[in-house]
Structure formats: C-alpha cells, structure tokens
Amino acid sequence: MKEILLTSSVLILALLALRQLFRRTVSRRMQYALWLLVLVRLLVPVNVGTLAHNVLSAAEPVQAVVEERLDTPVLYVQDGTERRPAQLLPGKESQGEPLSPPSGAAQTAPADEYYTVTPTYRTVTLSEALTYVWYAGMAGVGAWFLFTNLRFARALRKARTPYRVEGCRYPVYLVSALPSPCLFGVLRPAVYLNEKALQSPDALRFVLAHEQTHARHLDPLWSLLRGVCLTVYWFDPLVWLAAVLSREDCELACDEGTLRALGADERAAYGKTLLALVPVCGKPQNPLLGATTMTSGKRSLKERITRIAENRQAKAAAVFAVVALAALVCAVSFTGAPDTTPEVTQEWYDAGFTTEDAQACLEFLDWAAELDGSKITGCGAWDAETGAARFLLEEPSDDASAQIEALEGILRSVRAEELTPFAARDGEVRYTLTFNDDYTGYYGFSLSENGQVALDAPAEYKTEGEPFPYMKAVAVVDNAELTQALYRLLRPALLDGLTEAERGGVDEFLHWAQALRAEDILNLQFRDGSSSRFLVDAELTALSAQLVPALNALTEAELYTQRGYGDSAYYTLTVNLRDGTQYTFLCGFDRVRLLSPAFEPALSSSYPSDRQTLWIDSPALMACINTLHSPPTTLPDFETVDPTPLADILPAREPWMTIPLAGKAQRVTDHRIPSDALDWLTQLDMDGDGVCEIVNSSPNFPAIYYERGGELYGVDLKSVITAAWPELDWWDYTSAAPASRSVLFCGLSAGDAPGDGANFTRYLYFDGESLLLYKPDRSHTDHVADATLADPSVPAEIVARAKQLVRQRYDTLAGSAAQYDDWYTDVSFLGAETRYEGLTLEVYSFSQHYHAQKPEKILLAGGTEVDEDGWAFLDGDTVLDGPYIVCLMDGGTRRMLEGSMSGDCSTGSPAYYADLTALLAKNNVLRPDALDGGRLKEVMSSGISFLNWLGQYDAAEQDRALERLSAYRASLTDSYDLDMFSRIVAYMLGDRDGLTDAGRAAQGRFRAKFG
C-alpha cells in the first residue's frame, strides 16, 4: 500500500504538470487518455519489474523513516492472561516480558498460594491502527458510492419516459426534472434527456451525438472505476483531485470527439447548444456519481466553449514529447526497487518487531542455517567501550578455530522463537564478537555486563548522500548454549596460556591495585611525549582521589593480554609508592597497558615485545590519566582537496600485504595528542575521497587518523602491522611521502640475511578500508629504474651521468665475496633552486643499488644495508661522494657542475645548503664579493677548498670577504653556533695538504683575521 501511494502520487503530480504544460498543444482526448495510467496504477497494485533508479529507490530514506514511525506502538490491548509461579528465582525472570500496559490496567492478581494470574498485552502499532481507520473509511465511502448511484438509478427509473429517436444505438428516455442530459449505466447504458434537449431538432441531434460519444469512449465504465479508486483511496487528496480533473477532461474529450463526428461546420451551433443546455453549478459535481452529466462550473464551461471556438490542432512535436515524458514517468512509477529481503510475516509484528529488524533477523537465520564446517573466515572480538581488539583466527595459540567451528553448530540451532525485539541494553556492553563467512554475511553479538546477548546486523545511514555502514542491535537472543560460547570467546581468560611468572604477576598487581591507599603514594610522574613532570602536594592529592578508586575497583575481568607492540604510548603515568614499589601505566588512543616485570618490562618504541603485554580495560583509569594532559594539544581539522580516483593513487602492481582495518582501527573519543607530535603530522588524501587523512610519522607513535560518519578513528601502525607481520623485528623510522600519498617505513625483519635480520623498506597506502603494503619498485631497464625512464622531468644527459657514476662504483666491487651481479640507479628531479640571486640551478638526486648473490658476505658496518631480496646500499663509498647532480642553466644550456655534495643530510637543511654553496664556489659560479657573511661561512665549511677558492681573487676582495665573515661571527649568540665556527677556524689554521700557493697566501690572511 505504501509503495502504491508513493508511486501514484508522483504519477498524478507528473500528469498534472503535463496537463498544464501541454494543455493548448495536444488533443483533449489524449489528455483524457493519460488518466488511464493513474487508474491502472491505483487499481493494479503490482510493479512491472524492478529498476535500480526509480521513485521507490529515491524515496528509500523517507520510506525508512515513515516505516519506523508506523511501527511505533500507540496502545496496548489485553489479549489474555498468563498463569505463572508466584516466585521466580533471582535472575531467572522470563525473557520477552510483555511491554508495559497502560496505566490503570489490571495488574497481577493471586490465583492461589503457588500461582499468580498476570494479564498479557499485545502492542498495537501506528500502522495497525491506521489500517483499521482505512478499512472503516473505505467501508463508509464505499457505502456512500453505492447509495449515490443506486439512488440516482432509482430516481431515473421512476421518472423516465421512453422517447423514440431514429438512428440512436442506445435507449433514450425523457426525464423532465433532470438538470442536464446524461448517459447512465455500465452494462446497459441509456441516454436520458430533459425538456431543454427537445427545444429544437439541432439541440436534440447535438445531445444525442454527445452522449453517444461518451458511450464510444466507455465513459460509464471509467466513471465506475473512478468511484472504486475513490473508495479505496478515500484519504488521498491527490486521488480526489485526479478524479475531479479527469471528469472535466472526460467532457472536453467528448466535445472534441463529437465535433469530429459532426464536422467543423457545426462547431458554432454546438457551442451555442452547450450554453443553453449546460447548467452552471457553484461546486464540482459529485465524482462518485457514475452518470456523464453535462453539468459544469463556470471555469469548466468557459474552457469547453473556448476550446470549441478555437479549434486548436494538436502539434506533432508536442504529442511526441507528451508520449515520451509519460513513458518516462511510467518507467519510474510502475517499477519496483530491487528487493531481496525476506518476507516479514504477521507473527514478527505481533512479537513487537519493526519491519527492518524483522527482516534483519530473517536474513540472519537464513545465513546461520547455511553455515557448514569452517565457513566463518573472519572473526574479531573487541571491547565496545575501550576498542581493545582481538582477531581470533589470527591467534594460533588460542585454539580459536575449534571454538568457532563449535559456534557455527550453535548458530545453526538458533530458532526464531529465541529472538525477541531489542529495546535497550541490559547494562553496559562489555564485549562484542563480529564474524563473516566469505563476505556473504556479516553479523555479530554484543554481550552486556548482565548477560544479555544482542544480535547485531549490518545497517547503514547516509551523510551528505554517502552511505556509511554500521552494526545495529536488532534482537535479544535467548539461547543458553550461545551465551556460554560467547562468554568463552569474548571474556578474556587470563589463566589460559600464561606462564607461572605471568600468573603471579597478575595476582601481585591485582592485590596491589585493590589494596592501594592514597597515603601509600609518594608521588606520581606524568610523561607527555618528550616532557615529564612530577605531581606533588595539591595536584597529587587531587589525582590520587581519582586514581585510587579506579585501581581499587579493578578485577581480573578487566585484564587481558596481547603480543606485539601494543598501542602507542601517548601518555605515561608512573605511580611511586613509599615502600619503593613502582607501577607504570601507558595510555594510548583509548587504552591503558601496564609495564610489569612479568610481562612488558620497559617501554620500547622500536622493538616489538617478545612477551605478552598486559592490558587494562578500565574507562575510569583511562579518564584519570587523560585529565593530566595540560595544556591540551588537539588534532588539527582535516583538510579537504579535490577528489582523486583511487586507481590513480595506488601502484599498478599487487600489494605485498593487505591488512583489513575492520576491528583494528580504534574510535578515538579524545582528540588530544602529545604536544611534540604536531611537528610530525602531515595531511594526505590517501584514499582519494577529497578529505585528507592525518599521518603521524613520529618515531614513537606512528599512526593514521581518519574520519568516518562523523567519528574520528586512529590506526596504530606499529600495533596493526606487527600483528599481521610477526617477522618484523625492528621498526626504524617512519616518513610521510606526500608525492605518492603514502607512508614510508623502514626497519629489520627476520630472515636468512646476516646479522639480526634483513633491512626492509615498505610503502604504506590506505584505500579507506585496508592498509596496503608495497615493496620498493625495483623494475629497471638498462640499469635505469623504469620510473626514471618514465619521468619527463629527468633529462637523458642527467640519467647518463648518474649511470656513469654508479657504474664506476660497481666496477670497484668486482671480485667481492658477495658476488655482485646487477646494479641500477634511480634519478629524481628535486626542483629548481632559486636561493642564489641571478642564478638558475637544477638539482637532481640519484640512488645506487647493487644486487649480491651472496648477501650474507656483505659486511654490515656503518650505513651499509641489505634487504630481504639481496639488494644492498653500501657505506664507505670512495667513488661517489654524494647523491646529487647540480646543473647551472644559462640561456637554455645545461652545465653540469664538477664535484658533489654530501648525501648525509636532508634536502633543504643547513648542511645541504652549505654543501651547495661550496660546490658553486668551487666551480667559480660564486665569487667572494657576491656572498654575505652567512654564505661565506657555508663555503668555509668545505675546509681547504675554501682557502684555495678565496686565493684565486685579488687581495682586496679577499680582505672584504674576511671582514664580512668576521662580522658574521660577531653576530652569533648561540653557544653551539659559536663552538662550530671556532672548530672550523681551528681546522683552517692547521698545516693542511692540498693547499695551492694561492690557498696558502689566503690562509695567511685568514690567520691574521681569526688567529
């Protein structure tokens, strides 16, 4: 019914628009015929196929809201009594208790000593109540419809006199009191005339032609069907409006058909006859009457006469447009939305379910019935408040697979009778289990602290037109086996898998926490990032008043264990007692973990723990530590950019590892971050949706923050990646890579490489749902990386120079025990350097990669690294001084400068610019008079090259340069800068090899100035 109301309303409104738009360009018969579409839509309540985009699909959000409102209980009806024991054991109250009856209803009454009789009630929803109102109205309007037509038929039969007319196909009667001539009767239609119709032969001829046209058009039948529509849809004003207007169009179409039969010469006479015969009424005619009376209102009569006088012809283009638009309207209003949801029977409504929740329950029962053997492929458990997650199928030590297989059998046994409507949580949610089978189903259970088990089903809501999925509680499950299985899977069992030392550590900590008193605390030490402070006096007293009750309330149920890095420690609180005991709590996104000798003995930001880490799921403890962060530093707002297709961001090759974030990303309720983390934040639109993610590349807390559905989520990269990659031994550093919208991280992983492991480099991408890890792309052609060959910003001559330098180094490796067999270089354009006035410089960087057949023979010393595929980066380079090629641009000519720059500094750093200035000076691109004191100091950092360069110029220019250098030294105030300047001066004054004669002369002047 709701679908028909919606689609018919859209259809009527569309036809009203077409009627108004084309009222002067299409025939009235065509306009009248369009109302047949409304008649079919109203009386044939079925859809012709389905369409992805139509009225029903567009109105789904509104339908959902309306259905939810219609499913609201509006009253309670007593439907019987229930005889039950007078006393129930505590905690054994029956499930599915009837909803509260109205005030004043009969309450429980004793039947005898052992039983009570309790009235039971069923709910009546708004939808059910409105259905009764609809039935009542339909009966009333239907009765009036029958009464109106039967009364009219009886009056005609009593007053009619047969009137013989030659050439008329239908019986003709004279009814003197009839206001106007009419045609009446469906099975045996007859023409009824009044006295005015007999005033002249022409009037009679026109009336008979008019009424016979009504008969040819089957208008009595359409009048009957119009009345049926009004009876069924009596409450819809649009249907009444359509009935009135279609009746008017019926008369206009009849006029048009009559004139076509009579001929154009009769047009004026026919119009005059209408004016004489048609009575004018002040109100519309009864649309329930089946007779085709000629009675009209002033406006309607005026339009009829105007149309007769104008004799407008239909335009072909207008007819085509009307047909096309009508077809389009039918396509979107006669089709249904794709519907694969199971049918909800009345029993579900009687039980109190909404349509949406009942459908979700039916889909779950169908899904559970199909479970067969190890079909569940994903299973995650987490605490709904703290976000602490466990992924059961990824923990081989937990015997989780056998437990989940047993759970499948229990799920198959769940019956519809064990599901009751979900109204409210019975206490706080403690743990949640979600699972899927090959991505065909996705369900979960929430276990409340008082033992209630709620079935969670997938749902979605829309924000700015975009759908966002979430899990919604749809039913309470009363199945004892399922409850026991969930407790076993969800509640952490610390006794399982703990060593004796770990078990003792748990007991010792709980004994300490439960017995702690405020006067036992000597002081509290709080660390926020790199800062640290002690809480004493009033601040110590205030925090102890929060901390002690939170620790006293801890039980074993709030503790669980996890291997790996655990969560990044944003804040740390150390409790120092007067007896020398010390406990340290680490607070991450929304969780707290404990440093304990039996578990994690100390905080390490680079190495994953090889022991269990002990976690505490106490919101009170978390909130207590959070109060210490002052002043607050909040995460910046997420920036917006133009969206980018994800395919344009991700590398074309397959990822090395994919880590789904379902259940791993934590909802972050506190937007505060360590104050020193702001310097490590980078905004990148990693998934291309136009809203940036925030990357924290801090060495201690690498993370990605993103928003979904108005909620903030955080991904602790160390925790998530090490859980999925157990071979990761050491996390070295993290760096945001804005150019590729990725995150670069490096470290060591276990393997066959020498030493403690193999070096690795990974590029991390984020597609909105998963972390995608890629190895470096080492594809190369003719010893040049394919990426370089495809980069138009790198000229061929620069590539050739880089190849020459790396090949020279490769030749020195011949005969090495590592047996090098391949090499390549990768060249990047760093940009045009405009730091030096009047000079245009291009700076390129190149890398060198060498492959060894026996990487275990490579001596890992200094900065030498070997990855898991045998590719090496070698330290101690005697051929290549640095990874830069600098060119001077002069009128379109590119001149490569001789010499190199150190690779042991980052691009744009002071050391980088010192090397660049020295390189320009060495190539005589810069002369002393062109440099201020600061730039001269940069050149001076190159050592004896500075003296040889300075000595090339005349004495006056040298003296001017040394004077500016002395003034620069006098301006220094920082002790570190002064010390570094003095160290360089001391080096320059020494007896150095490599000085030219001009350089020694310049050294004399330098000694006179700074010696």
Side-chain angles (χ1 to χ4, degrees):
M1 172 58 74
K2 293 189 290 292
E3 291 186 357
I4 299 302
L5 282 177
L6 181 60
T7 54
S8 64
S9 297
V10 172
L11 181 61
I12 292 171
L13 291 173
L15 293 186
L16 289 176
L18 292 177
R19 183 178 185 270
Q20 181 65 25
L21 186 62
F22 295 98
R23 63 192 179 92
R24 296 187 180 277
T25 54
V26 297
S27 69
R28 283 305 188 182
R29 287 179 296 165
M30 183 176 189
Q31 183 172 294
Y32 180 42
L34 290 177
W35 292 111
L36 179 62
L37 300 176
V38 176
L39 197 66
V40 173
R41 177 73 290 192
L42 291 173
L43 297 181
V44 185
V46 294
N47 294 320
V48 183
T50 61
L51 203 62
H53 301 289
N54 56 19
V55 172
L56 295 178
S57 61
E60 279 182 357
V62 177
Q63 284 185 283
V65 173
V66 171
E67 287 180 0
E68 184 176 358
R69 180 69 185 92
L70 292 175
D71 289 333
T72 305
V74 292
L75 70 151
Y76 302 89
V77 178
Q78 183 175 343
D79 62 351
T81 58
E82 181 180 357
R83 184 180 175 89
R84 62 174 64 179
Q87 293 183 349
L88 289 174
L89 293 176
K92 299 294 184 180
E93 287 80 4
S94 61
Q95 296 291 322
E97 192 77 19
L99 295 172
S100 301
S103 60
Q107 302 298 313
T108 301
D112 52 42
E113 182 179 356
Y114 302 103
Y115 290 92
T116 60
V117 176
T118 303
T120 58
Y121 297 85
R122 71 176 184 89
T123 61
V124 177
T125 64
L126 179 58
S127 176
E128 186 178 356
L130 291 177
T131 300
Y132 294 140
V133 174
W134 175 44
Y135 289 159
M138 190 161 48
V141 175
W144 181 249
F145 173 51
L146 290 174
F147 173 75
T148 299
N149 286 278
L150 291 175
R151 183 181 63 174
F152 186 73
R154 182 172 179 271
L156 290 177
R157 283 197 302 270
K158 288 180 65 176
R160 72 186 183 182
T161 301
Y163 189 87
R164 182 176 180 81
V165 178
E166 295 293 336
C168 183
R169 295 178 52 193
Y170 304 99
V172 180
Y173 298 96
L174 176 63
V175 179
S176 299
L178 197 65
S180 74
C182 69
L183 181 73
F184 185 72
V186 176
L187 299 178
R188 292 190 295 271
V191 177
Y192 295 88
L193 305 176
N194 61 1
E195 295 291 347
K196 289 184 178 181
L198 303 178
Q199 289 178 354
S200 69
D202 284 343
L204 177 60
R205 183 165 56 90
F206 291 151
V207 168
L208 291 175
H210 181 91
E211 300 305 338
Q212 288 184 90
T213 302
H214 272 309
R216 285 199 309 273
H217 291 175
L218 301 178
D219 288 335
L221 174 61
W222 303 137
S223 295
L224 173 65
L225 295 178
R226 186 187 302 124
V228 173
C229 288
L230 292 173
T231 300
V232 177
Y233 299 95
W234 58 268
F235 53 87
D236 191 342
L238 285 176
V239 175
W240 286 91
L241 177 61
V244 171
L245 294 179
S246 67
R247 191 179 184 91
E248 291 182 5
D249 289 344
C250 169
E251 291 300 326
L252 291 170
C254 186
D255 290 339
E256 192 174 76
T258 302
L259 288 172
R260 179 182 289 270
L262 292 174
D265 295 341
E266 305 278 12
R267 185 174 300 277
Y270 178 80
K272 292 177 181 179
T273 300
L274 277 185
L275 287 173
L277 292 178
V278 176
V280 177
C281 297
K283 59 182 180 179
Q285 290 299 296
N286 183 0
L288 292 172
L289 183 62
T292 60
T293 62
M294 300 177 72
T295 307
S296 294
K298 289 183 179 180
R299 182 189 60 80
S300 178
L301 180 59
K302 179 181 179 181
E303 184 174 1
R304 291 177 68 179
I305 297 301
T306 302
R307 290 294 296 231
I308 293 171
E310 289 179 345
N311 190 24
R312 291 179 178 271
Q313 299 298 315
K315 297 181 179 179
V319 172
F320 177 79
V322 169
V323 172
L325 291 173
L328 176 62
V329 173
C330 289
V332 298
S333 59
F334 277 77
T335 55
D339 185 13
T340 58
T341 56
E343 182 181 359
V344 178
T345 59
Q346 187 61 39
E347 288 80 6
W348 291 91
Y349 296 117
D350 293 341
F353 282 92
T354 65
T355 302
E356 181 183 359
D357 290 353
Q359 287 176 343
C361 291
L362 287 169
E363 290 172 0
F364 164 76
L365 291 171
D366 289 344
W367 174 83
E370 296 297 322
L371 290 176
D372 180 22
S374 306
K375 199 172 183 181
I376 294 179
T377 57
C379 189
W382 67 84
D383 186 295
E385 291 181 354
T386 66
R390 291 184 296 145
F391 303 97
L392 303 179
L393 293 179
E394 299 176 8
E395 298 175 5
S397 61
D398 277 348
D399 192 27
S401 298
Q403 294 184 52
I404 293 174
E405 285 187 33
L407 179 62
E408 288 185 12
I410 296 171
L411 292 176
R412 287 196 298 271
S413 70
V414 175
R415 306 186 312 277
E417 295 78 11
E418 295 171 335
L419 304 179
T420 54
F422 177 84
R425 299 286 184 189
D426 184 14
E428 295 294 323
V429 172
R430 297 302 297 162
Y431 300 97
T432 300
L433 174 75
T434 60
F435 42 78
N436 62 274
D437 85 40
D438 294 327
Y439 304 100
T440 61
Y442 183 42
Y443 296 94
F445 293 100
S446 299
L447 185 61
S448 299
E449 59 185 2
N450 293 332
Q452 179 198 62
V453 176
L455 169 64
D456 298 327
E460 72 176 26
Y461 67 93
K462 290 190 176 181
T463 300
E464 297 180 354
E466 293 293 325
F468 290 93
Y470 72 104
M471 297 296 285
K472 174 188 177 185
V474 297
V476 174
V477 187
D478 184 17
N479 183 297
E481 283 187 290
L482 178 62
T483 303
Q484 288 184 347
L486 292 176
Y487 264 104
R488 175 63 179 163
L489 276 169
L490 301 180
R491 297 191 68 174
L494 285 177
L495 291 174
D496 292 349
L498 293 188
T499 65
E500 185 176 348
E502 291 170 343
R503 178 71 257 178
V506 171
D507 293 339
E508 181 181 348
F509 167 69
L510 285 175
H511 175 75
W512 169 82
Q514 293 167 357
L516 181 65
R517 299 174 301 169
E519 52 267 31
D520 298 333
I521 301 176
L522 176 64
N523 60 50
L524 300 171
Q525 184 180 8
F526 177 66
R527 294 184 181 88
D528 166 20
S530 59
S531 63
S532 174
R533 62 189 177 91
F534 283 92
L535 280 66
V536 295
D537 301 331
E539 192 176 15
L540 172 63
T541 301
L543 187 68
S544 297
Q546 289 181 268
L547 178 65
V548 170
L551 291 173
N552 290 164
L554 288 181
T555 65
E556 187 173 297
E558 280 89 42
L559 306 182
Y560 64 96
T561 58
Q562 177 178 303
R563 293 189 184 275
Y565 277 108
D567 197 19
S568 299
Y570 276 5
Y571 320 118
T572 302
L573 178 67
T574 300
V575 182
N576 296 301
L577 302 188
R578 298 185 183 277
D579 63 2
T581 304
Q582 181 186 85
Y583 279 96
T584 299
F585 301 94
L586 295 95
C587 185
F589 286 133
D590 280 327
R591 304 190 284 179
V592 178
R593 80 179 191 268
L594 175 72
L595 292 186
S596 167
F599 290 91
E600 188 178 11
L603 173 64
S604 170
S605 63
S606 297
Y607 295 91
S609 174
D610 58 356
R611 308 185 186 189
Q612 295 272 22
T613 52
L614 186 61
W615 294 83
I616 307 169
D617 66 355
S618 167
L621 182 59
M622 177 81 185
C624 178
I625 298 177
N626 270 340
T627 62
L628 293 171
H629 186 67
S630 179
T633 300
T634 59
L635 201 66
D637 294 335
F638 291 85
E639 298 175 359
T640 57
V641 296
D642 292 334
T644 306
L646 189 61
D648 294 345
I649 300 175
L650 298 180
R653 61 191 189 279
E654 289 296 315
W656 174 77
M657 177 183 287
T658 299
I659 307 175
L661 291 180
K664 301 180 179 70
Q666 301 175 45
R667 187 171 59 85
V668 182
T669 56
D670 189 347
H671 289 213
R672 296 178 296 180
I673 58 175
S675 55
D676 59 353
L678 284 176
D679 296 334
W680 298 94
L681 301 184
T682 306
Q683 302 246 11
L684 303 175
D685 183 15
M686 301 181 72
D687 56 2
D689 64 352
V691 180
C692 287
E693 284 69 41
I694 296 180
V695 175
N696 182 357
S697 55
S698 162
N700 292 328
F701 322 116
I704 294 175
Y705 298 90
Y706 64 93
E707 285 187 323
R708 287 292 182 274
E711 298 284 352
L712 174 65
Y713 290 86
V715 181
D716 173 17
L717 295 180
K718 284 187 179 179
S719 174
V720 170
I721 293 176
T722 54
W725 185 10
E727 295 80 13
L728 195 157
D729 273 357
W730 178 54
W731 189 297
D732 187 4
Y733 70 90
T734 313
S735 175
S740 59
R741 304 197 197 185
S742 64
V743 178
L744 168 71
F745 69 99
C746 305
L748 286 174
S749 64
D752 298 330
D756 295 331
N759 296 97
F760 72 82
T761 299
R762 295 291 183 272
Y763 291 90
L764 184 152
Y765 290 80
F766 173 62
D767 66 359
E769 297 179 353
S770 303
L771 299 181
L772 309 175
L773 275 58
Y774 292 83
K775 283 186 174 183
D777 183 8
R778 297 194 181 279
S779 59
H780 57 278
T781 303
D782 192 21
H783 304 293
V784 179
D786 290 346
T788 297
L789 295 175
D791 188 351
S793 67
V794 181
E797 59 195 288
I798 302 298
V799 174
R801 176 59 175 164
K803 280 183 61 177
Q804 177 189 12
L805 293 172
V806 178
R807 178 57 192 254
Q808 290 176 9
R809 176 68 195 279
Y810 179 74
D811 289 343
T812 68
L813 301 175
S816 169
Q819 298 183 13
Y820 293 97
D821 60 358
D822 196 7
W823 62 274
Y824 75 93
T825 184
D826 187 0
V827 188
S828 300
F829 176 49
L830 298 183
E833 181 57 66
T834 58
R835 183 173 186 253
Y836 304 93
E837 185 176 356
L839 299 179
T840 301
L841 303 174
E842 291 181 346
V843 182
Y844 300 86
S845 68
F846 66 94
S847 58
Q848 45 178 323
H849 308 274
Y850 308 98
H851 188 265
Q853 296 185 53
K854 296 184 177 181
E856 69 275 8
K857 299 294 185 178
I858 300 175
L859 178 63
L860 295 180
T864 297
E865 296 180 358
V866 182
D867 74 6
E868 63 266 55
D869 296 322
W871 285 97
F873 172 82
L874 306 182
D875 193 32
D877 194 342
T878 58
V879 177
L880 302 179
D881 295 328
Y884 298 103
I885 298 174
V886 182
C887 300
L888 176 66
M889 301 301 295
D890 184 9
T893 303
R894 183 179 289 107
R895 170 192 166 193
M896 280 185 275
L897 303 183
E898 295 297 325
S900 60
M901 298 163 51
S902 172
D904 196 20
C905 57
S906 59
T907 305
S909 65
Y912 167 85
Y913 280 120
D915 273 7
L916 181 57
T917 304
L919 178 66
L920 295 174
K922 181 180 178 180
N923 284 268
N924 291 318
V925 174
L926 296 175
R927 59 182 302 144
D929 274 349
L931 303 179
D932 59 18
R935 300 286 171 86
L936 286 168
K937 186 264 179 185
E938 291 178 352
V939 184
M940 190 177 73
S941 301
S942 65
I944 60 173
S945 296
F946 168 73
L947 296 175
N948 291 336
W949 167 72
L950 188 64
Q952 297 179 73
Y953 300 93
D954 60 49
E957 188 166 353
Q958 292 183 45
D959 289 341
R960 290 194 297 271
L962 293 176
E963 188 64 35
R964 290 195 299 277
L965 195 57
S966 177
Y968 171 78
R969 181 187 183 281
S971 69
L972 296 177
T973 58
D974 185 82
S975 59
Y976 174 80
D977 293 338
L978 285 168
D979 180 63
M980 291 302 297
F981 192 96
S982 299
R983 288 173 181 269
I984 297 173
V985 168
Y987 176 83
M988 303 283 277
L989 295 179
D991 187 13
R992 302 297 176 194
D993 294 333
L995 282 173
T996 63
D997 292 339
R1000 289 194 182 277
Q1003 185 183 44
R1005 286 186 173 82
F1006 188 86
R1007 182 178 289 108
K1009 193 68 177 177
F1010 296 102

